[in-house]
């Protein structure tokens, strides 16, 4: 019996992932996020609705999309599309595009259907100590659906890990989702409430409260800090976040060194860039951040291995 | 076809074309003048006991007058026009190709490129090519080419690869005597003698060995001179005995094991009765060729050119068969390299003898049994006794040589070694061995002796771990002192290393054509480890772990180490260790699943016990040990060629008109698939016919009494293995390009018959244009048509249907010595060679590009590793009883620990096996490293890679194969973000 009220859109199932938790995993990316991080790695997942995604590099500029679009909006993926015409996501251009440079990101699946797809790689999870990672977007936006999915997976002995931004309603989360989670990766970004509002689009009070609560009641919580140059990687912020982690009774933290690939993704979606930094983070910088955290008494661990 | 039609060629070329026969006539006349009048050259046409009598004709396919040369009574005459009766017709695609041939272009390369076609005797062309080389080079041999890889000048400087990590948990029931079966505390530096031998192998240029061919030829001529006519098997037995008892018994300075395969340090074994004459054109240039150069002394050039090759021109298996069959279509198609490659022209080995029986009883006892049985079929049983006698003679000569060296030896330790060696060679293989050293020496003598009879193409060493374990246990029985136990274990490791290094003392003869077809391959002498015993218990034992240590330290391309894993029976630590050794060596061992292979063999009629007693053969193919004559690689078949034919009403773009069925242009998907199956069946039937013809020729020319004496079956049946004497009989095929065909069929079905986006005629036009100007269609095929490796219903379904058809068709074919034909899916390196001869196909693969190796999803499918594993594991092992090669290129993440990488590899392999997959082979080398090795080969002499079933040193591969390895899909094993 399902208890789903709303079915989220799934953007992607990434099989054979070795980067999002222990072992060999499948990552489910749900659509929709309550935050608006300026450096969002998965901008296509922010909106809770399907979006049209285009990949410029593979586009042949053959014009098949232009001919196919009933509203006259579609343009080859190498060019911008006119904002003044709405895209209804009818999929005509996707069907017409020979090079696969266009896709509608988003699919709605019943939890049992999604479960079956995820179980496909169960043998790999079991043999590698892997499992399923729920990510997004923000999976806690759909506590009942995701909770049901997690429950089903746990019943089949699948390790379930959630990656959350922490912005959720504690009651629903603790009732529907929390009991079915094996591991929680909890992202902490900025300690300063004002800067948090400015760069993430929301206050950090709820997030930090949830963090303390979840650390108290769940045995396997790993806080993660995205290292965003000039925003989150300064000594003060790192020290303040470390204090939060230590005061919640945890001793480990993982770092997510900056990855600039999101910039192109965001451009492909026709979105503006509120923050731009197109370089990978140098190893020395990552080591500096690690050292800053180690000095506070925290152990820095790998996000994939933890 | 790329070749311009005559009509479109420019005027100047047209004139040149018309003049070509005249030019060639002039060149040949000049050549004739040299050979007819120069005393130093006359022996090429007439020599002691030999006169070159043959007519060779040179014509073009386009018509136009040809030229022919008649060699007769020691002189050469040149005439215009076609010959009345030619022994060899060389047909060039165009006049330009004819000119290139006479300007000195490599004739074998031209044959492979299909710009030259041959009818009649091939050896005459080899002889002619040598004559041309003699003129061109003034009879001078080319200078030796510098070595590609750089090695330290002193053996002590040879780097010892790092060992693995200590095993944390001992595998239960698999290890009785070893403290740490991973031997984390040991490296090559702990075994200086082995290190010296490894260094010697690395730094020695292989050299042509004329000992065997000369002994054989002299023997045959002598028999003839004396008018001796024996039954074929007796004749061969006398020959092999002659070779074994006359050849030099050699023990090198450092040897623990006595005996060598050839008289060179690393020797090329030559079989003039098989493909040996094929080296004639290169005789003067082998030391200089770019790939796999060999040394050859002036004296050996002379021996081969004058005393060996002339006598085998008509009596080698290939040319003899062509002359003696009613219809030689199938054999001539073989010489065009497009549809299939038939291995029986070179060898019929790819098998394994009953080593345990030979050890348990000793050869004397086997000889005695043959003597008892002699009255029932005298010639046959005499033959067995003679062949075994040859081995015994050789062993005795080794004992004498050991004694001779001892009498001259100053060093006391070495004297002791030689004393022991003499004692052992007097005892084994005549009598059963008792110690590990005796058993290993016996195995080595048996193995090298087989090389005197049969070309080593896939001769198997065998299941050395289980066979040797009883001797190892005896070594340690009752020894309680821990230091003494360690010493004995180290001794066992050293002996296993010594045997593996002995296996590197020879190489098969590879003409330059072979460098293109089978780049970098050596003999593929398989050692199989692990799995289960005939009773179904774990076969993993102390000796398994010892061989894995030897494999890890030596990193040899050959012996080809294969490991069986029996899920639920073998320990997980064993699988971890296999993956660790694979990681450390980068490419070996390859991994097989007993749970899939054993039932596939049972379905072929093997009893459960016999199915469980299998070893890999050559590349991957299963053979039941010592009782199964299964020439498991008798043919390599191009699956893509029949697809090209289906698209063109039965005509192959390169081959033109053949007897293939005309299947028209099918108008529905069902009919298209049906037409493909018809074309494929025609190709298979041709290959099978060729193999049957060659197989029958072997029965007359090359029965194998030594193999038969060492097999289970022939002794009882009174029949040679080539006649069906073994307990089990089969012949195995390698089907190449399945992925390319499946992906192509998916595209045809989707685009032509479902979407009706373009017609079949349009598609063929696009393919003829290599997709140029059709980029959108190409992109659509690559991105939007389902592909094998993606979890999609269509490709899986087509693959399964196709495999069923191939299986059933093969099984229904008549087999020349009883038994069945069995298909498998691996490719050696022929996915590259066949790819070069194929046009663009509907899968989106472009003209000339390699096919996918073995049974591996295309990199174009961009499927994740878990998807790929699901797809390959889902195929039915029963339909692939000759096994598969699933190639997986993995790269550890920069920050991954050793243990993490091993754990990941074991997780993938273990999952694949649990899902029912048959075989898997990891290459653990990044694309980056491969590219660097192409740019700086001198630094990468020991970079081991697995092609499709065999290992090779990357820097010795031809460029096409190197690029294929570079372009394979690469899977990260670790955190890509790290």
């Amino acid at each position: 019996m399902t208890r789903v009220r709303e079915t989220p859109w799934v953007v992607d199932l990434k099989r054979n992932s070795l980067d999002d938790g222990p072992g060999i995993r499948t990552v489910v990316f749900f659509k929709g996020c309550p935050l608006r991080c300026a450096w969002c790695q998965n901008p296509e997942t922010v909106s809770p609705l399907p979006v049209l995604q285009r990949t410029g590099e593979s586009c042949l500029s053959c014009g098949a999309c232009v001919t196919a679009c009933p509203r006259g909006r579609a343009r080859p993926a190498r060019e911008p599309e006119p904002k003044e015409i709405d895209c209804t996501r009818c999929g005509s251009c996707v069907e017409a595009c020979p090079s696969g440079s266009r896709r509608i990101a988003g699919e709605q699946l019943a939890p049992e259907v999604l479960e079956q797809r995820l179980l496909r790689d169960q043998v790999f999870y079991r043999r590698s100590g892997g499992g399923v990672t729920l990510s997004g977007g923000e999976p806690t936006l759909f506590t009942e659906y995701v909770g049901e999915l997690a429950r089903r997976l746990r019943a089949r002995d699948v390790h379930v890990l959630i990656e959350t931004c922490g912005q959720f309603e504690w009651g629903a989360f603790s009732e529907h989702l929390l009991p079915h989670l094996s591991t929680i990766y909890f992202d902490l970004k900025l300690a300063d409430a004002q800067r948090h509002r400015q760069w993430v689009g929301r206050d950090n009070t709820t997030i930090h409260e949830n963090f303390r609560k979840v650390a108290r009641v769940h045995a396997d919580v790993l806080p993660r800090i995205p290292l965003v140059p000039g925003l989150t990687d300064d000594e003060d912020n790192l020290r303040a976040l470390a204090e939060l982690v230590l005061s919640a009774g945890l001793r480990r933290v993982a770092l997510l060194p900056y990855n600039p690939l999101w910039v192109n993704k965001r451009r492909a979606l026709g979105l503006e860039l509120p923050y731009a930094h197109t370089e990978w983070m140098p190893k020395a910088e990552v080591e500096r951040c690690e050292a800053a955290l180690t000095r506070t008494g925290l152990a820095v661990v790998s996000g994939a291995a933890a | 076809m790329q070749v311009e039609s005559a009509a479109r060629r420019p005027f100047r070329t047209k004139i040149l074309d018309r003049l070509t026969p005249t030019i060639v006539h002039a060149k040949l006349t000049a050549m004739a003048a040299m050979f007819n009048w120069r005393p130093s050259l006359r022996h090429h046409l007439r020599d002691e006991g030999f006169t070159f009598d043959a007519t060779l004709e040179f014509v073009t396919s386009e018509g136009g007058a040809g030229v022919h040369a008649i060699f007769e009574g020691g002189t050469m005459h040149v005439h215009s026009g076609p010959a009345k009766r030619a022994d060899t017709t060389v047909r060039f695609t165009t006049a330009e190709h004819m000119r290139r041939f006479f300007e000195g272009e490599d004739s074998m390369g031209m044959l492979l490129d299909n710009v030259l076609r041959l009818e009649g005797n091939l050896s005459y062309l080899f002889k002619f090519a040598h004559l041309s080389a003699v003129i061109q080079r003034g009879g001078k041999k080319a200078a030796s080419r510098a070595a590609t890889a750089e090695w330290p000048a002193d053996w002590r400087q040879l780097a010892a690869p790092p060992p693995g990590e200590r095993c944390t948990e001992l595998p239960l029931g698999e290890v009785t005597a070893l403290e740490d079966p991973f031997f984390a505390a040991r490296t090559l530096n702990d075994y200086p003698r082995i290190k010296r031998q490894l260094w010697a192998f690395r730094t020695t240029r292989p050299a042509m060995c004329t000992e065997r061919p000369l002994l054989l030829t002299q023997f045959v001529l002598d028999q003839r001179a004396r008018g001796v006519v024996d039954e074929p098997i007796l004749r061969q037995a006398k020959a092999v005995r002659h070779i074994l008892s006359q050849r030099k018994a050699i023990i090198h300075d450092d040897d623990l094991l006595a005996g060598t395969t050839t008289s060179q340090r690393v020797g090329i074994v030559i079989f003039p009765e098989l493909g040996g004459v094929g080296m004639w054109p290169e005789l003067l240039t082998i030391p200089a060729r770019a790939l796999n150069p060999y040394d050859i002394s002036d004296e050996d050039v002379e021996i081969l050119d004058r005393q060996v090759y002339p006598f085998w021109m008509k009596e080698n298996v290939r040319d003899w068969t062509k002359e003696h069959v009613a219809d030689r279509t199938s054999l001539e198609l073989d010489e065009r390299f497009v549809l299939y490659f038939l291995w029986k022209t070179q060898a019929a080995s790819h098998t394994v003898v009953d080593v345990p029986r030979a050890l348990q009883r000793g050869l004397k006892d086997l000889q005695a049994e043959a003597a008892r049985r002699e009255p029932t079929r005298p010639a046959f049983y005499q033959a067995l006794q003679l062949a075994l006698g040859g081995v015994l003679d050789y062993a005795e000569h080794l004992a004498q040589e050991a004694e001779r060296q001892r009498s001259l030896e100053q060093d006391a330790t070495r004297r002791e070694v030689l004393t022991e060696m003499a004692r052992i060679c007097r005892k084994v293989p005549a009598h059963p061995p008792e110690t590990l050293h005796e058993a290993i020496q016996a195995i080595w003598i048996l193995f090298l002796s087989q090389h005197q009879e049969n070309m080593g193409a896939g001769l198997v060493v065998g299941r050395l771990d289980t066979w040797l374990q009883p001797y190892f246990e005896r070594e340690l029985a009752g020894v309680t002192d821990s230091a003494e136990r360690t010493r004995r274990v180290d001794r066992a490791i050293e002996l296993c290393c010594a045997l593996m290094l002995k296996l590197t003392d020879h190489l098969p003869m590879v003409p330059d054509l072979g460098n293109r077809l089978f780049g970098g391959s050596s003999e593929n002498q398989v050692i199989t480890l692990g799995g289960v015993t005939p009773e179904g218990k774990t076969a993993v034992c102390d000796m398994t772990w010892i061989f894995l240590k030897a494999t890890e330290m030596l990193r040899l391309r050959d012996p080809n180490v294969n490991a069986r894993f029996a899920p639920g029976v073998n320990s997980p630590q064993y699988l971890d260790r296999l993956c660790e050794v694979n990681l450390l060596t980068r490419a070996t061992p390859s991994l097989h699943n007993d749970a899939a292979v054993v039932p596939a063999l049972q379905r072929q009629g093997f009893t459960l016990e016999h199915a469980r007693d299998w070893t890999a053969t050559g590349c991957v193919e299963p053979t039941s040990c010592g009782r199964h004559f299964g020439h498991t690689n008798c043919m390599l078949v191009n699956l893509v060629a029949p697809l090209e034919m289906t698209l063109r009403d039965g005509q192959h773009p390169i081959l033109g008109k053949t007897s293939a069925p005309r299947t028209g242009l099918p108008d529905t998907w069902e009919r298209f698939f049906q037409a493909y199956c018809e074309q494929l069946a025609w190709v298979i039937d041709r290959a099978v016919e060729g193999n049957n013809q060659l197989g029958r020729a072997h029965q007359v020319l090359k029965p194998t009494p030594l193999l038969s004496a060492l097999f289970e079956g022939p002794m009882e049946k009174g029949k040679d293995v080539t006649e069906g004497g073994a307990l089990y009989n089969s012949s195995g095929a390698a089907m190449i390009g399945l992925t390319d065909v499946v992906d192509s069929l998916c595209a045809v079905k989707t685009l032509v018959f479902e979407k009706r986006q373009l017609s079949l005629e349009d598609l063929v036009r696009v393919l003829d244009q290599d997709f140029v100007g059709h980029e959108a269609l190409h992109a659509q095929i690559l991105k939007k048509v389902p592909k094998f490796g993606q979890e999609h219903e269509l490709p899986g379904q087509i693959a399964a249907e196709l495999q069923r058809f191939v299986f059933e068709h093969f099984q229904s074919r008549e087999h020349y010595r009883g038994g069945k034909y069995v298909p498998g899916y691996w490719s050696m390196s022929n996915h590259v060679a066949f790819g070069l001869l194929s046009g663009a196909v509907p899968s989106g693969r472009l003209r000339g590009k390699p096919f996918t190796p073995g049974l591996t999803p295309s990199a174009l499918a961009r499927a994740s590793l878990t998807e790929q594993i699901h797809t390959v594991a889902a195929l039915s092992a029963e339909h692939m009883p000759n096994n598969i090669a699933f190639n997986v290129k993995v790269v550890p993440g920069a920050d991954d620990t050793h243990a993490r990488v091993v754990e990941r590899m074991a997780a993938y392999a273990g999952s694949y096996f649990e899902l029912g997959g048959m075989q898997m082979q990891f290459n653990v080398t990044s694309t980056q490293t491969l590219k660097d090795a192409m740019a700086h080969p001198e630094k990468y002499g020991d970079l081991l890679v697995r092609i499709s079933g065999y290992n090779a040193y990357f820097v010795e591969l031809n460029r096409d194969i190197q690029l294929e390895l570079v372009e394979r899909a690469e899977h990260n094993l670790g955190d890509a973000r790290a």
Side-chain angles (χ1 to χ4, degrees), chain B residues 128-407:
Chain B
F128 181 82
H130 176 66
L131 293 178
S132 309
V134 166
I135 299 287
Q136 261 161 26
R137 308 197 51 83
K140 289 241 162 34
K141 200 179 68 182
S144 253
R145 192 184 185 83
T148 313
E150 284 170 4
W151 298 102
D154 183 330
W155 67 272
R156 290 173 202 84
Q157 256 81 59
L158 188 71
E165 285 180 0
R166 199 184 164 80
C167 167
T168 44
E169 207 180 321
L170 279 186
L172 290 173
E174 289 181 347
V175 170
T176 56
L178 309 175
E179 207 184 309
D180 169 23
F182 283 44
F183 298 104
R186 287 276 181 268
T187 72
L188 195 56
N189 291 332
D190 296 302
Y191 309 95
R193 181 181 358 227
I194 295 304
K195 191 168 162 171
R196 277 198 299 274
Q197 290 179 1
L198 179 62
W199 177 84
F201 159 64
R202 297 285 204 216
T203 51
T204 305
R205 167 78 44 99
M208 296 279 276
C209 174
T210 55
E211 183 185 56
R212 181 195 178 277
L214 186 58
L215 283 171
L216 176 71
T217 310
Q218 285 170 342
F219 175 78
V220 171
L221 293 177
D222 176 63
Q223 292 281 298
R224 252 173 232 175
R226 293 199 276 131
V228 182
V229 181
D230 285 319
E231 268 188 49
I233 185 127
L234 193 55
R235 181 192 66 225
Q236 291 309 106
K238 286 179 178 174
V240 76
R241 173 163 200 167
H242 178 78
I243 294 169
L244 277 162
S245 53
Q246 296 303 310
R247 65 191 299 260
K248 198 163 173 222
I250 295 175
I251 299 161
H252 293 301
D253 290 350
D254 237 357
D255 277 350
L256 269 183
L257 300 173
T260 58
T261 313
T262 72
S263 59
Q264 305 280 4
R265 183 83 209 207
V266 177
I268 306 300
V269 203
I270 301 170
F271 289 78
E273 70 274 40
L274 293 159
V277 182
M279 213 60 160
W280 216 341
E282 291 177 68
L283 225 40
L284 298 173
T285 49
I286 338 168
R289 66 184 188 182
L291 295 166
N292 301 313
Y294 305 147
D295 279 342
I296 184 166
S297 68
D298 291 339
E299 191 196 344
D300 284 337
V301 170
E302 190 87 352
I303 287 174
L304 291 174
D305 184 28
R306 300 180 65 173
Q307 298 187 58
V308 176
Y309 287 160
F311 303 98
W312 297 100
M313 284 197 287
K314 292 183 76 166
E315 288 174 56
N316 64 82
V317 168
R318 179 196 292 278
D319 287 315
W320 186 91
T321 314
K322 281 197 325 198
E323 195 156 341
H324 286 79
V325 293
D327 181 357
R328 58 189 190 201
T329 319
S330 298
L331 297 170
E332 283 178 352
L333 280 170
D334 172 52
E335 282 162 6
R336 304 191 65 185
F337 306 102
V338 175
L339 300 177
Y340 46 79
F341 181 94
L342 300 177
W343 262 106
K344 273 199 181 62
T345 57
Q346 310 295 315
S349 27
H350 268 88
T351 193
V352 57
V353 301
D354 192 349
V355 173
R357 185 179 69 160
L359 295 187
Q360 280 153 26
R361 293 180 49 185
L363 300 195
K364 286 264 190 212
D365 191 40
L366 293 176
Q367 248 185 341
E369 184 179 346
R372 278 196 303 279
R373 291 176 182 267
E374 199 180 307
T376 56
R377 218 203 128 187
F380 177 75
Y381 288 105
Q382 279 164 22
L384 298 196
Q385 293 172 66
L386 279 168
L388 291 169
V391 180
L392 295 174
D393 287 351
Y394 180 67
E396 168 58 26
H397 294 160
L398 286 174
Q400 289 167 9
E401 172 64 12
E403 279 163 351
R404 189 190 67 81
Q405 289 194 13
R406 186 191 50 194
S407 69

Side-chain angles (χ1 to χ4, degrees), chain A residues 15-16 18-20 23-24 58 60 94-95 97-100 120-121 123-124 126-128 256 283 304-305, chain B residues 755 775-776 779-780 783-784 791 865-867 869-870 900 904 907-908 910-911 914 972-977:
Chain A
R15 291 170 71 170
N16 193 37
L18 302 165
D19 310 336
D20 295 272
I24 300 168
S58 55
L60 301 167
V94 176
E95 172 66 23
C97 174
S99 63
R120 185 72 186 151
D121 280 350
V123 52
F124 296 96
R126 178 160 43 72
R127 290 197 162 264
S128 67
L256 302 171
K283 211 169 170 123
Chain B
K755 292 193 166 172
E775 284 71 23
Q780 185 187 4
K783 297 287 178 55
K784 300 185 90 174
E791 279 204 82
L865 184 51
T866 61
E867 271 185 288
I869 285 175
H870 275 296
R900 158 71 53 92
R904 287 271 155 85
Y908 285 116
S911 302
E914 193 174 327
N972 273 311
L973 272 186
D975 191 338
R977 286 190 310 220

Side-chain angles (χ1 to χ4, degrees), chain A residues 8 42 71 74 76 82 93 96 119 177 191 202-203 214 219 227 260 271 293:
Chain A
N42 298 317
R71 314 199 76 200
C93 62
L119 287 177
L177 200 45
R202 254 182 199 261
D203 194 71
V214 88
L227 298 178
L271 300 171
L293 287 163

Side-chain angles (χ1 to χ4, degrees), chain B residues 22 24 61 87 113 178 189 197 230 243 298 351 449 488 499 509 529 544 589 608 652 722 782 827 846 858 879 922 965:
Chain B
T22 318
V24 169
S61 304
D87 297 292
D113 291 336
L178 309 175
N189 291 332
Q197 290 179 1
D230 285 319
I243 294 169
D298 291 339
T351 193
S449 298
R488 293 192 181 202
L499 177 60
M509 192 202 81
L529 303 175
T544 314
L608 179 57
H652 190 280
T722 57
L782 294 189
S827 56
L846 300 176
S858 159
H879 292 156
F922 288 111
L965 278 153

Side-chain angles (χ1 to χ4, degrees), chain B residues 233 240 244 351-367 369-370 380-381 383-392 428-431 442-454 459-461 467 613 623-629 704-716 719-722 725-727:
Chain B
I233 185 127
V240 76
L244 277 162
T351 193
V352 57
V353 301
D354 192 349
V355 173
R357 185 179 69 160
L359 295 187
Q360 280 153 26
R361 293 180 49 185
L363 300 195
K364 286 264 190 212
D365 191 40
L366 293 176
Q367 248 185 341
E369 184 179 346
F380 177 75
Y381 288 105
L384 298 196
Q385 293 172 66
L386 279 168
L388 291 169
V391 180
L392 295 174
V428 298
H431 305 284
I443 288 175
W444 172 235
I445 292 178
L446 288 175
F447 194 69
L448 74 87
S449 298
Q450 290 169 55
H451 277 82
Q452 311 310 319
E453 181 183 58
N454 267 292
L459 275 174
V460 175
V461 198
W467 294 347
D613 190 22
T623 298
S624 183
C625 291
R627 54 182 78 86
H628 172 199
F629 195 61
T704 56
L706 183 56
L707 270 190
S708 287
L710 297 172
F711 245 72
E712 182 181 349
M715 182 77 87
E716 295 76 10
K719 243 203 269 188
D720 188 58
V721 288
T722 57
L727 199 56

